[in-house]
Amino acid sequence: DVVMTQTPPSLSVAIGQSVSISCKSSQSLVYSDGKTYLHWLLQSPGRSPKRLIYQVSNLGSGVPDRFSGTGSQKDFTLKISRVEAEDLGVYYCAQTTHFPLTFGSGTKLEIK
Amino acid sequence: EVQLVESGGGLVQPGASLKLSCVASGFTFSDYWMSWVRQTPGKTMEWIGDIKYDGSYTNYAPSLKNRFTISRDNAKSTLYLQMSNVRSEDTATYYCTRDTMGVPFAYWGQGTLVTVSS
């Protein structure tokens, strides 16, 4: 199975600051079609997960452009610019290139 | 509006069987692949498997393949997860998800909690 390693496990930031979350995979996530199926999800407290970014850098519907995703092959980053209170929760990366599909262990974002 | 509503969870004894359902609305169910994902009490996310839009093909996590079966009834816009010989480690919240443009996890239900305990 592809192991997804997220860092840091948690972070605390003030409103208006920027943060980055890292996700590294144990194998390249480039599929045979040339696309990279790495996605980012946010689970707000008490809610179901929501997909924020798909295929490395594409924003999901209604996701503010404060969120951005970058990376390639095995190394990916989610950046949140100008953090807002509603951004708190647990962020997960997930890969859908290889079966079985796998998730990172999550990064908990708290607001100072 | 896309809606996915899971049901069927609850307290179940080890070794028993349980069938979860996910009723979909707000889209043409038969056009989409669907998946089941579970989240343990410790918040670990685990993909269980998925099923093709017409029900003709399924994929499973190897560790669950022998005990879990995914099916669907497109006439009822309903996705199912049949769980057999459940174990304490199956205790989790179970979510159904829908893909968009072939990419999973675009939409999630509210989840249904399964607790395996004697």
Short mmCIF file of all heavy atoms in Angstrom, two decimals, chain B residues 13-60:
data_model
loop_
_atom_site.label_atom_id
_atom_site.label_comp_id
_atom_site.label_asym_id
_atom_site.label_seq_id
_atom_site.Cartn_x
_atom_site.Cartn_y
_atom_site.Cartn_z
N GLN B 13 -22.71 -7.19 17.79
CA GLN B 13 -21.80 -8.09 18.49
C GLN B 13 -20.72 -8.63 17.56
O GLN B 13 -20.95 -8.78 16.35
CB GLN B 13 -22.59 -9.27 19.09
CG GLN B 13 -23.51 -8.87 20.22
CD GLN B 13 -23.96 -10.08 21.03
OE1 GLN B 13 -23.99 -11.19 20.52
NE2 GLN B 13 -24.31 -9.85 22.29
N PRO B 14 -19.56 -8.94 18.10
CA PRO B 14 -18.51 -9.54 17.28
C PRO B 14 -19.01 -10.82 16.61
O PRO B 14 -19.74 -11.60 17.21
CB PRO B 14 -17.40 -9.86 18.30
CG PRO B 14 -17.62 -8.87 19.40
CD PRO B 14 -19.11 -8.69 19.49
N GLY B 15 -18.64 -10.97 15.33
CA GLY B 15 -19.05 -12.15 14.57
C GLY B 15 -20.35 -11.99 13.82
O GLY B 15 -20.68 -12.82 12.96
N ALA B 16 -21.08 -10.93 14.12
CA ALA B 16 -22.37 -10.72 13.47
C ALA B 16 -22.20 -10.08 12.10
O ALA B 16 -21.09 -9.74 11.68
CB ALA B 16 -23.25 -9.83 14.35
N SER B 17 -23.32 -9.93 11.41
CA SER B 17 -23.34 -9.27 10.11
C SER B 17 -24.18 -8.00 10.20
O SER B 17 -25.07 -7.88 11.07
CB SER B 17 -23.93 -10.19 9.04
OG SER B 17 -23.11 -11.31 8.84
N LEU B 18 -23.90 -7.07 9.30
CA LEU B 18 -24.60 -5.78 9.31
C LEU B 18 -24.60 -5.24 7.89
O LEU B 18 -23.61 -5.40 7.16
CB LEU B 18 -23.88 -4.80 10.25
CG LEU B 18 -24.57 -3.50 10.60
CD1 LEU B 18 -25.82 -3.77 11.41
CD2 LEU B 18 -23.61 -2.60 11.38
N LYS B 19 -25.70 -4.62 7.50
CA LYS B 19 -25.77 -4.03 6.17
C LYS B 19 -26.07 -2.54 6.29
O LYS B 19 -27.08 -2.15 6.87
CB LYS B 19 -26.86 -4.71 5.33
CG LYS B 19 -26.82 -4.31 3.85
CD LYS B 19 -27.75 -5.19 3.02
CE LYS B 19 -27.60 -4.94 1.53
NZ LYS B 19 -28.44 -5.84 0.71
N LEU B 20 -25.17 -1.75 5.74
CA LEU B 20 -25.34 -0.31 5.72
C LEU B 20 -25.93 0.12 4.39
O LEU B 20 -25.69 -0.50 3.35
CB LEU B 20 -24.00 0.40 5.94
CG LEU B 20 -23.19 -0.02 7.17
CD1 LEU B 20 -21.91 0.82 7.26
CD2 LEU B 20 -24.00 0.08 8.44
N SER B 21 -26.67 1.22 4.43
CA SER B 21 -27.26 1.78 3.22
C SER B 21 -26.87 3.24 3.08
O SER B 21 -26.59 3.92 4.07
CB SER B 21 -28.79 1.68 3.26
OG SER B 21 -29.23 0.35 3.38
N CYS B 22 -26.88 3.71 1.86
CA CYS B 22 -26.62 5.12 1.57
C CYS B 22 -27.58 5.52 0.46
O CYS B 22 -27.47 5.04 -0.68
CB CYS B 22 -25.18 5.32 1.13
SG CYS B 22 -24.82 6.94 0.45
N VAL B 23 -28.53 6.37 0.81
CA VAL B 23 -29.51 6.84 -0.17
C VAL B 23 -29.03 8.15 -0.77
O VAL B 23 -28.69 9.09 -0.03
CB VAL B 23 -30.89 7.02 0.47
CG1 VAL B 23 -31.87 7.59 -0.55
CG2 VAL B 23 -31.40 5.70 1.02
N ALA B 24 -28.99 8.19 -2.08
CA ALA B 24 -28.49 9.36 -2.80
C ALA B 24 -29.63 10.15 -3.40
O ALA B 24 -30.66 9.59 -3.82
CB ALA B 24 -27.53 8.92 -3.89
N SER B 25 -29.44 11.45 -3.48
CA SER B 25 -30.42 12.32 -4.14
C SER B 25 -29.72 13.56 -4.68
O SER B 25 -28.59 13.86 -4.29
CB SER B 25 -31.54 12.73 -3.17
OG SER B 25 -31.01 13.43 -2.06
N GLY B 26 -30.38 14.25 -5.58
CA GLY B 26 -29.82 15.47 -6.14
C GLY B 26 -28.94 15.27 -7.35
O GLY B 26 -28.36 16.24 -7.86
N PHE B 27 -28.82 14.03 -7.81
CA PHE B 27 -28.03 13.73 -9.00
C PHE B 27 -28.48 12.38 -9.56
O PHE B 27 -29.20 11.64 -8.89
CB PHE B 27 -26.54 13.73 -8.69
CG PHE B 27 -26.09 12.66 -7.73
CD1 PHE B 27 -25.52 11.48 -8.18
CD2 PHE B 27 -26.22 12.83 -6.36
CE1 PHE B 27 -25.10 10.50 -7.30
CE2 PHE B 27 -25.81 11.86 -5.45
CZ PHE B 27 -25.25 10.68 -5.93
N THR B 28 -28.03 12.08 -10.75
CA THR B 28 -28.38 10.79 -11.39
C THR B 28 -27.42 9.73 -10.86
O THR B 28 -26.27 9.62 -11.30
CB THR B 28 -28.30 10.90 -12.91
OG1 THR B 28 -29.17 11.94 -13.36
CG2 THR B 28 -28.73 9.59 -13.56
N PHE B 29 -27.91 8.97 -9.90
CA PHE B 29 -27.07 8.01 -9.17
C PHE B 29 -26.35 7.04 -10.10
O PHE B 29 -25.17 6.73 -9.90
CB PHE B 29 -27.97 7.25 -8.18
CG PHE B 29 -27.27 6.26 -7.31
CD1 PHE B 29 -26.41 6.68 -6.31
CD2 PHE B 29 -27.49 4.90 -7.46
CE1 PHE B 29 -25.77 5.77 -5.48
CE2 PHE B 29 -26.87 3.98 -6.64
CZ PHE B 29 -26.00 4.41 -5.65
N SER B 30 -27.04 6.60 -11.12
CA SER B 30 -26.49 5.58 -12.02
C SER B 30 -25.36 6.09 -12.91
O SER B 30 -24.80 5.32 -13.68
CB SER B 30 -27.60 4.98 -12.88
OG SER B 30 -28.26 6.00 -13.61
N ASP B 31 -25.03 7.37 -12.81
CA ASP B 31 -23.94 7.94 -13.62
C ASP B 31 -22.60 7.92 -12.90
O ASP B 31 -21.57 8.27 -13.51
CB ASP B 31 -24.26 9.39 -14.00
CG ASP B 31 -25.29 9.51 -15.10
OD1 ASP B 31 -25.62 8.48 -15.73
OD2 ASP B 31 -25.77 10.64 -15.33
N TYR B 32 -22.57 7.57 -11.61
CA TYR B 32 -21.37 7.79 -10.81
C TYR B 32 -20.85 6.54 -10.11
O TYR B 32 -21.62 5.73 -9.58
CB TYR B 32 -21.63 8.85 -9.76
CG TYR B 32 -21.85 10.22 -10.36
CD1 TYR B 32 -23.15 10.64 -10.70
CD2 TYR B 32 -20.79 11.07 -10.60
CE1 TYR B 32 -23.35 11.88 -11.27
CE2 TYR B 32 -20.99 12.31 -11.17
CZ TYR B 32 -22.28 12.71 -11.51
OH TYR B 32 -22.47 13.94 -12.07
N TRP B 33 -19.52 6.44 -10.07
CA TRP B 33 -18.88 5.52 -9.15
C TRP B 33 -19.16 6.00 -7.73
O TRP B 33 -19.24 7.19 -7.46
CB TRP B 33 -17.37 5.53 -9.37
CG TRP B 33 -16.87 4.79 -10.58
CD1 TRP B 33 -16.97 5.18 -11.88
CD2 TRP B 33 -16.16 3.56 -10.58
NE1 TRP B 33 -16.37 4.26 -12.69
CE2 TRP B 33 -15.86 3.25 -11.93
CE3 TRP B 33 -15.72 2.67 -9.58
CZ2 TRP B 33 -15.17 2.10 -12.30
CZ3 TRP B 33 -15.03 1.54 -9.94
CH2 TRP B 33 -14.75 1.25 -11.30
N MET B 34 -19.25 5.04 -6.83
CA MET B 34 -19.47 5.34 -5.42
C MET B 34 -18.47 4.56 -4.57
O MET B 34 -18.03 3.47 -4.96
CB MET B 34 -20.89 4.96 -4.99
CG MET B 34 -22.00 5.69 -5.74
SD MET B 34 -22.09 7.44 -5.35
CE MET B 34 -22.55 7.40 -3.62
N SER B 35 -18.13 5.14 -3.42
CA SER B 35 -17.15 4.51 -2.53
C SER B 35 -17.67 4.46 -1.10
O SER B 35 -18.54 5.25 -0.72
CB SER B 35 -15.85 5.32 -2.50
OG SER B 35 -15.26 5.45 -3.75
N TRP B 36 -17.09 3.57 -0.32
CA TRP B 36 -17.26 3.57 1.13
C TRP B 36 -15.90 3.85 1.77
O TRP B 36 -14.88 3.27 1.36
CB TRP B 36 -17.79 2.23 1.63
CG TRP B 36 -19.23 1.98 1.37
CD1 TRP B 36 -19.77 1.24 0.35
CD2 TRP B 36 -20.34 2.45 2.15
NE1 TRP B 36 -21.13 1.23 0.44
CE2 TRP B 36 -21.51 1.96 1.54
CE3 TRP B 36 -20.46 3.24 3.30
CZ2 TRP B 36 -22.78 2.23 2.04
CZ3 TRP B 36 -21.73 3.51 3.80
CH2 TRP B 36 -22.88 3.00 3.17
N VAL B 37 -15.92 4.71 2.76
CA VAL B 37 -14.72 5.06 3.54
C VAL B 37 -15.12 5.01 5.01
O VAL B 37 -16.24 5.39 5.35
CB VAL B 37 -14.22 6.48 3.19
CG1 VAL B 37 -13.05 6.88 4.09
CG2 VAL B 37 -13.82 6.56 1.72
N ARG B 38 -14.22 4.54 5.85
CA ARG B 38 -14.52 4.56 7.28
C ARG B 38 -13.48 5.35 8.04
O ARG B 38 -12.33 5.49 7.61
CB ARG B 38 -14.65 3.15 7.84
CG ARG B 38 -13.37 2.34 7.87
CD ARG B 38 -13.67 0.93 8.40
NE ARG B 38 -12.47 0.11 8.51
CZ ARG B 38 -12.47 -1.16 8.90
NH1 ARG B 38 -13.62 -1.77 9.20
NH2 ARG B 38 -11.33 -1.83 8.99
N GLN B 39 -13.91 5.86 9.19
CA GLN B 39 -13.03 6.65 10.06
C GLN B 39 -13.12 6.06 11.46
O GLN B 39 -14.19 6.02 12.07
CB GLN B 39 -13.44 8.11 10.06
CG GLN B 39 -12.49 9.00 10.84
CD GLN B 39 -12.82 10.46 10.69
OE1 GLN B 39 -13.98 10.86 10.60
NE2 GLN B 39 -11.79 11.30 10.65
N THR B 40 -11.97 5.64 11.96
CA THR B 40 -11.94 5.03 13.28
C THR B 40 -12.12 6.07 14.37
O THR B 40 -11.99 7.28 14.11
CB THR B 40 -10.61 4.31 13.50
OG1 THR B 40 -9.57 5.30 13.58
CG2 THR B 40 -10.31 3.32 12.38
N PRO B 41 -12.38 5.64 15.60
CA PRO B 41 -12.49 6.61 16.69
C PRO B 41 -11.23 7.45 16.86
O PRO B 41 -11.30 8.58 17.33
CB PRO B 41 -12.74 5.72 17.92
CG PRO B 41 -13.40 4.50 17.36
CD PRO B 41 -12.75 4.28 16.02
N GLY B 42 -10.09 6.91 16.46
CA GLY B 42 -8.84 7.67 16.52
C GLY B 42 -8.63 8.57 15.32
O GLY B 42 -7.58 9.18 15.18
N LYS B 43 -9.64 8.64 14.43
CA LYS B 43 -9.68 9.55 13.28
C LYS B 43 -8.88 9.06 12.07
O LYS B 43 -8.70 9.82 11.12
CB LYS B 43 -9.26 10.98 13.65
CG LYS B 43 -10.10 11.59 14.74
CD LYS B 43 -11.58 11.61 14.37
CE LYS B 43 -12.43 12.25 15.45
NZ LYS B 43 -13.90 12.15 15.11
N THR B 44 -8.41 7.83 12.11
CA THR B 44 -7.76 7.27 10.94
C THR B 44 -8.78 7.00 9.84
O THR B 44 -9.84 6.42 10.10
CB THR B 44 -7.04 5.96 11.29
OG1 THR B 44 -6.02 6.24 12.25
CG2 THR B 44 -6.42 5.32 10.07
N MET B 45 -8.46 7.44 8.63
CA MET B 45 -9.35 7.25 7.48
C MET B 45 -8.90 6.02 6.70
O MET B 45 -7.71 5.85 6.41
CB MET B 45 -9.28 8.47 6.56
CG MET B 45 -9.65 9.77 7.24
SD MET B 45 -11.40 9.91 7.48
CE MET B 45 -11.90 10.28 5.83
N GLU B 46 -9.88 5.17 6.34
CA GLU B 46 -9.56 3.95 5.59
C GLU B 46 -10.57 3.78 4.45
O GLU B 46 -11.78 3.74 4.68
CB GLU B 46 -9.58 2.74 6.51
CG GLU B 46 -9.21 1.44 5.81
CD GLU B 46 -9.17 0.24 6.74
OE1 GLU B 46 -9.78 0.31 7.83
OE2 GLU B 46 -8.55 -0.77 6.38
N TRP B 47 -10.05 3.64 3.26
CA TRP B 47 -10.89 3.36 2.11
C TRP B 47 -11.30 1.90 2.13
O TRP B 47 -10.45 1.02 2.30
CB TRP B 47 -10.13 3.69 0.83
CG TRP B 47 -10.83 3.37 -0.45
CD1 TRP B 47 -11.85 4.07 -1.04
CD2 TRP B 47 -10.52 2.27 -1.32
NE1 TRP B 47 -12.20 3.47 -2.23
CE2 TRP B 47 -11.40 2.37 -2.43
CE3 TRP B 47 -9.62 1.22 -1.28
CZ2 TRP B 47 -11.38 1.46 -3.48
CZ3 TRP B 47 -9.59 0.32 -2.32
CH2 TRP B 47 -10.47 0.44 -3.41
N ILE B 48 -12.57 1.63 1.95
CA ILE B 48 -13.08 0.26 1.97
C ILE B 48 -13.15 -0.31 0.56
O ILE B 48 -12.73 -1.44 0.30
CB ILE B 48 -14.47 0.22 2.63
CG1 ILE B 48 -14.37 0.66 4.09
CG2 ILE B 48 -15.10 -1.17 2.50
CD1 ILE B 48 -15.71 0.91 4.77
N GLY B 49 -13.70 0.47 -0.35
CA GLY B 49 -13.83 0.00 -1.72
C GLY B 49 -14.77 0.88 -2.51
O GLY B 49 -15.34 1.84 -1.98
N ASP B 50 -14.91 0.55 -3.79
CA ASP B 50 -15.83 1.31 -4.62
C ASP B 50 -16.54 0.41 -5.62
O ASP B 50 -16.24 -0.77 -5.74
CB ASP B 50 -15.12 2.48 -5.31
CG ASP B 50 -13.97 2.06 -6.21
OD1 ASP B 50 -13.89 0.86 -6.59
OD2 ASP B 50 -13.13 2.92 -6.55
N ILE B 51 -17.52 1.01 -6.30
CA ILE B 51 -18.33 0.26 -7.24
C ILE B 51 -18.63 1.12 -8.45
O ILE B 51 -18.92 2.32 -8.33
CB ILE B 51 -19.63 -0.25 -6.56
CG1 ILE B 51 -20.44 -1.15 -7.50
CG2 ILE B 51 -20.48 0.91 -6.05
CD1 ILE B 51 -21.54 -1.93 -6.79
N LYS B 52 -18.55 0.51 -9.59
CA LYS B 52 -18.80 1.19 -10.85
C LYS B 52 -20.25 1.64 -10.94
O LYS B 52 -21.12 1.07 -10.28
CB LYS B 52 -18.47 0.24 -12.01
CG LYS B 52 -18.38 0.89 -13.37
CD LYS B 52 -17.95 -0.13 -14.42
CE LYS B 52 -17.88 0.49 -15.81
NZ LYS B 52 -17.45 -0.49 -16.83
N TYR B 53 -20.51 2.61 -11.78
CA TYR B 53 -21.84 3.22 -11.86
C TYR B 53 -22.94 2.21 -12.19
O TYR B 53 -24.08 2.38 -11.74
CB TYR B 53 -21.85 4.36 -12.88
CG TYR B 53 -21.11 4.07 -14.17
CD1 TYR B 53 -21.69 3.34 -15.19
CD2 TYR B 53 -19.80 4.52 -14.33
CE1 TYR B 53 -20.99 3.07 -16.35
CE2 TYR B 53 -19.10 4.26 -15.49
CZ TYR B 53 -19.69 3.53 -16.51
OH TYR B 53 -18.99 3.26 -17.64
N ASP B 54 -22.62 1.15 -12.95
CA ASP B 54 -23.67 0.18 -13.30
C ASP B 54 -23.63 -1.06 -12.40
O ASP B 54 -24.36 -2.02 -12.62
CB ASP B 54 -23.56 -0.23 -14.76
CG ASP B 54 -22.24 -0.88 -15.10
OD1 ASP B 54 -21.39 -1.02 -14.19
OD2 ASP B 54 -22.01 -1.25 -16.25
N GLY B 55 -22.74 -1.04 -11.42
CA GLY B 55 -22.64 -2.15 -10.49
C GLY B 55 -21.87 -3.34 -11.01
O GLY B 55 -21.79 -4.36 -10.32
N SER B 56 -21.25 -3.22 -12.16
CA SER B 56 -20.61 -4.37 -12.79
C SER B 56 -19.18 -4.63 -12.31
O SER B 56 -18.60 -5.67 -12.63
CB SER B 56 -20.58 -4.17 -14.31
OG SER B 56 -19.77 -3.05 -14.65
N TYR B 57 -18.64 -3.70 -11.53
CA TYR B 57 -17.24 -3.84 -11.13
C TYR B 57 -17.05 -3.23 -9.75
O TYR B 57 -17.59 -2.17 -9.45
CB TYR B 57 -16.34 -3.14 -12.14
CG TYR B 57 -14.88 -3.45 -11.98
CD1 TYR B 57 -14.35 -4.67 -12.40
CD2 TYR B 57 -14.01 -2.52 -11.42
CE1 TYR B 57 -13.02 -4.96 -12.26
CE2 TYR B 57 -12.65 -2.80 -11.27
CZ TYR B 57 -12.16 -4.03 -11.71
OH TYR B 57 -10.83 -4.32 -11.57
N THR B 58 -16.27 -3.91 -8.95
CA THR B 58 -15.95 -3.40 -7.62
C THR B 58 -14.45 -3.53 -7.35
O THR B 58 -13.78 -4.41 -7.90
CB THR B 58 -16.70 -4.16 -6.52
OG1 THR B 58 -16.51 -5.57 -6.72
CG2 THR B 58 -18.18 -3.85 -6.50
N ASN B 59 -13.97 -2.64 -6.50
CA ASN B 59 -12.61 -2.72 -5.99
C ASN B 59 -12.70 -2.72 -4.47
O ASN B 59 -13.58 -2.05 -3.91
CB ASN B 59 -11.77 -1.50 -6.41
CG ASN B 59 -11.57 -1.42 -7.90
OD1 ASN B 59 -10.92 -2.27 -8.50
ND2 ASN B 59 -12.12 -0.40 -8.52
N TYR B 60 -11.78 -3.40 -3.81
CA TYR B 60 -11.79 -3.45 -2.36
C TYR B 60 -10.39 -3.29 -1.80
O TYR B 60 -9.39 -3.65 -2.44
CB TYR B 60 -12.32 -4.80 -1.86
CG TYR B 60 -13.77 -5.07 -2.16
CD1 TYR B 60 -14.15 -5.79 -3.28
CD2 TYR B 60 -14.77 -4.58 -1.31
CE1 TYR B 60 -15.48 -6.03 -3.56
CE2 TYR B 60 -16.11 -4.83 -1.59
CZ TYR B 60 -16.45 -5.56 -2.71
OH TYR B 60 -17.78 -5.80 -2.99
#
